[in-house]
Amino acid sequence: MSEEKPICSAKGCRADAVWVLAWNNPKLHAPERRKTWLACEEHREHLSQFLGVRGFLKDVVPFAAWEPAEDGPGSAADR
């Protein structure tokens, strides 16, 4: 497991991630599949809106509370 701190998925941002945005594209993914983006406090709303207007956003959870599926879709490596 990597010792690196998770960082925000917003383009060019290097801030620590404090939110997990779980999403899927229903045209590409099974309904139970969850892809993830990580967000800092500053970019949470912007990234949520980007996914939300497309109907992709499924959940927004504090990073500390996120429990990804083990070795399955939606894991942090699935970003």
Side-chain angles (χ1 to χ4, degrees):
M1 182 168 209
S2 175
E3 293 296 321
E4 293 181 38
K5 287 187 175 184
I7 60 166
C8 181
S9 298
K11 186 176 182 177
C13 185
R14 304 301 298 165
D16 290 346
V18 293
W19 296 97
V20 176
L21 287 66
W23 64 278
N24 83 358
N25 180 339
K27 291 182 180 179
L28 301 176
H29 308 123
E32 67 279 356
R33 174 116 187 230
R34 291 296 180 266
K35 303 281 282 182
T36 56
W37 281 358
L38 303 179
C40 65
E41 197 63 53
E42 180 182 350
H43 291 112
R44 182 189 61 83
E45 187 63 31
H46 172 75
L47 293 173
S48 294
Q49 287 179 357
F50 180 89
L51 293 168
V53 299
R54 291 160 178 78
F56 296 174
L57 187 63
K58 302 301 178 191
D59 204 5
V60 178
V61 179
F63 184 82
W66 178 249
E67 295 182 20
E70 290 185 29
D71 298 329
S75 65
D78 208 24
R79 307 183 259 142

